[in-house]
Amino acid sequence: MNALAVIASSMTRTYPVPGHRRSGVNALDVVDLALPHASFTALVGASGCGKSTLLQCVAGLDRPTGGSVRILDVETTALRPRDAARFRADHIGFVFQEDNLVTALSARDNVALPGRLRRRPLSRGDVDAALERVGLSAQARHLPHQLSGGERQRVAIARVLASRPDVVFADEPTAALDVAAGADVLDWLAQLRRNGTTVLMVTHDAAAAARARNVLVMDAGRIVAALPGGDPDAVSRAVLAARAGGRARAERRQGALR
Ligand code: ADP
Ligand code: MG
């Protein structure tokens, strides 16, 4: 087995700009990414630098304009949509900032959903144990609109705790939460890693990013720095340095054009 769970090579993503047929927004400007099995990596950077685009392209929710992605030794960018959906159901879990849940399903049924999609149903005991771990036993029968934003987020976490996907992609999972609730979410993501899941978390928050083992810093569609987690100040400094470096590069480009 490859030591890497996720490999993205020379990934680009250009969004068309209406009225400009030739130019576009280069949201990903040639990105390489390698995530070892059972690693917890944060991708941090200023708003608009391309973090969500990267996550969506790696996870197969969006198609990169160029480059390729391999997950668990499968070239996912070469899969047909139906096979890609099957692969995601079998191996991948998601936690987003909001809109994590199927609105017509109870908390319990949302947690049970990945098992149903994989045709390997989770036991009622496993589902309830996951809800208990996130402190939501009493709300198991609630529909998403009967839960607070923080509770909905915890259901999404219970879902990945129960279904134990091989890879979890989380996009700003703490952004809508208060500090304590955010800290819990980060603890659970770290716990997933300890149980063998590969976790990629996108965040603009240096303190949240510092909770990961590995931190990648993004600026203007590129990964420009990598550092170990642990020190929120070091992550903040790396993000600020990346922005300053990006501005200097942009100014040099402008200068060259003049
Ligand atoms: P981040 O998650 O880091 O805040 P995004 O990946 O959402 O950044 O966006 C990166 C860049 O791509 C931004 O300039 C954004 O405006 C642009 N962008 C994102 N999604 C689209 C889209 N669907 N169409 C056009 N431009 C987009
Ligand atoms: Mg984003």
Side-chain angles (χ1 to χ4, degrees):
M1 195 168 70
N2 198 313
L4 298 171
V6 177
I7 307 169
S9 309
S10 305
M11 218 173 24
T12 59
R13 177 67 167 100
T14 307
Y15 291 114
V17 175
H20 294 258
R21 264 206 295 148
R22 292 212 188 150
S23 62
V25 177
N26 288 327
L28 295 182
D29 187 7
V30 194
V31 171
D32 296 306
L33 180 75
L35 305 179
H37 284 282
S39 56
F40 180 8
T41 305
L43 182 70
V44 68
S47 175
C49 73
K51 303 180 298 294
S52 294
T53 302
L54 187 148
L55 181 132
Q56 301 261 331
C57 285
V58 175
L61 300 176
D62 185 14
R63 202 168 255 286
T65 308
S68 64
V69 178
R70 290 182 79 79
I71 302 179
L72 308 172
D73 284 334
V74 173
E75 187 163 347
T76 48
T77 35
L79 295 175
R80 284 175 302 190
R82 192 193 162 90
D83 295 330
R86 174 93 259 146
F87 183 87
R88 282 198 301 277
D90 285 344
H91 298 290
I92 298 185
F94 292 98
V95 181
F96 298 119
Q97 180 176 343
E98 49 207 12
D99 296 331
N100 280 293
L101 307 180
V102 179
T103 53
L105 296 181
S106 68
R108 180 182 280 137
D109 289 342
N110 266 288
V111 174
L113 188 61
R116 283 170 48 196
L117 293 174
R118 286 194 275 187
R119 303 200 199 98
R120 265 185 283 133
L122 299 164
S123 72
R124 173 75 172 258
D126 284 345
V127 170
D128 286 349
L131 282 167
E132 189 179 339
R133 252 158 92 195
V134 301
L136 285 179
S137 295
Q139 288 88 346
R141 295 161 70 110
H142 288 204
L143 292 169
H145 78 266
Q146 297 166 322
L147 298 166
S148 72
E151 287 170 341
R152 284 197 290 273
Q153 195 70 325
R154 280 189 274 157
V155 175
I157 295 283
R159 189 167 56 192
V160 289
L161 290 173
S163 58
R164 304 253 224 117
D166 296 306
V167 184
V168 166
F169 293 105
D171 192 347
E172 304 278 5
T174 61
L177 304 178
D178 62 57
V179 175
D184 283 341
V185 166
L186 293 164
D187 283 341
W188 289 315
L189 291 176
Q191 196 177 326
L192 277 164
R193 188 213 53 89
R194 286 195 295 277
N195 290 331
T197 294
T198 302
V199 181
L200 178 65
M201 173 179 74
V202 155
T203 179
H204 67 272
D205 177 359
R211 292 289 316 280
R213 279 282 188 94
N214 314 301
V215 180
L216 302 173
V217 183
M218 209 172 167
D219 182 68
R222 295 184 190 188
I223 294 175
V224 294
L227 67 159
D231 180 352
D233 290 334
V235 176
S236 294
R237 284 195 299 275
V239 172
L240 291 172
R243 295 217 73 187
R247 271 199 296 273
R249 272 195 305 279
E251 276 163 24
R252 275 200 301 279
R253 261 201 308 276
Q254 298 244 307
L257 289 176
R258 270 200 292 272

